[in-house]
Amino acid sequence: MFPEDDTGPGAVALAVPFFIDKQLAGEYGFNSREYMEGPFHEGAPTQGPQTGMRRREVFLYGVSKIQEIAQDEHGEAFFDLDGEQQDEILGAFQNAEVDMTGVASDAFFTMLRQATLEGVYSDPVYGGNLNMDGWRIKKYPGGQMAFFDVIEADEFIEMEPISLHAHHT
């Protein structure tokens, strides 16, 4: 979903799996700030997934479905497949071509993609974006205390990123 390439490290090297695990173990994974009582009806695309499943359940189910398809179609774990085979499987999820119960495969794919991007670009204090390398890819300076010394510069100023960790006393 976010492979390593010429621009920088991929999701695994950026600790995105740890970020997602941490998020799923907390309020996000349990949908603790959302109404989760039925009835659940199929909603409009703008309403997001209409399911009684918690995000952590959706992720566990979706990832196991990815592994099942990889094993059935290629005889290997998803992680061991080449990029083209992985893209084929993920594309099937994205295009809602995978039969899932309780949640649509494209809804799972959207959740997985969003969580991956959040893990790549969020502050490392949340468990992803290891060494702030996701920010370095985008030349994002992170949580600088101020920009008063460079705000009026005519050229782009590259700054070493700073995490929220740096401001902890």
Side-chain angles (χ1 to χ4, degrees), residues 19 22 118-136 140-147 159-169:
F19 168 84
K22 186 175 179 182
E118 288 172 4
V120 168
Y121 297 119
S122 67
D123 194 288
V125 74
Y126 300 108
N129 190 10
L130 188 64
N131 299 319
M132 296 175 281
D133 288 336
W135 288 349
R136 285 185 177 87
Y140 176 69
Q144 304 287 329
M145 291 301 284
F147 296 96
M159 305 171 87
E160 196 54 29
I162 295 177
S163 170
L164 293 174
H165 279 296
H167 307 300
H168 181 62
T169 56

Side-chain angles (χ1 to χ4, degrees), residues 32-163:
S32 61
R33 296 180 183 254
E34 298 169 31
Y35 181 78
M36 293 298 295
E37 299 298 321
F40 298 101
H41 302 287
E42 189 169 332
T46 56
Q47 293 178 305
Q50 301 294 305
T51 179
M53 296 173 73
R54 306 281 186 228
R55 279 189 199 91
R56 62 184 291 117
E57 296 167 329
V58 172
F59 271 79
L60 288 171
Y61 178 37
V63 169
S64 68
K65 198 74 168 168
I66 287 172
Q67 291 291 21
E68 177 186 315
I69 292 169
Q71 200 60 240
D72 290 350
E73 293 183 7
H74 304 286
E76 293 185 80
F78 180 80
F79 190 78
D80 294 327
L81 300 177
D82 65 42
E84 191 173 301
Q85 293 168 321
Q86 291 177 342
D87 287 347
E88 179 185 308
I89 292 171
L90 292 175
F93 278 84
Q94 183 178 19
N95 296 326
E97 296 168 357
V98 177
D99 186 34
M100 293 178 70
T101 304
V103 64
S105 66
D106 59 332
F108 162 67
F109 177 84
T110 299
M111 290 170 63
L112 178 61
R113 180 180 56 210
Q114 182 66 34
T116 300
L117 292 174
E118 288 172 4
V120 168
Y121 297 119
S122 67
D123 194 288
V125 74
Y126 300 108
N129 190 10
L130 188 64
N131 299 319
M132 296 175 281
D133 288 336
W135 288 349
R136 285 185 177 87
I137 293 169
K138 296 287 188 181
K139 298 183 181 358
Y140 176 69
Q144 304 287 329
M145 291 301 284
F147 296 96
F148 65 86
D149 56 336
V150 297
I151 195 73
E152 294 185 16
D154 290 332
E155 70 281 343
F156 180 77
I157 306 293
E158 275 196 54
M159 305 171 87
E160 196 54 29
I162 295 177
S163 170

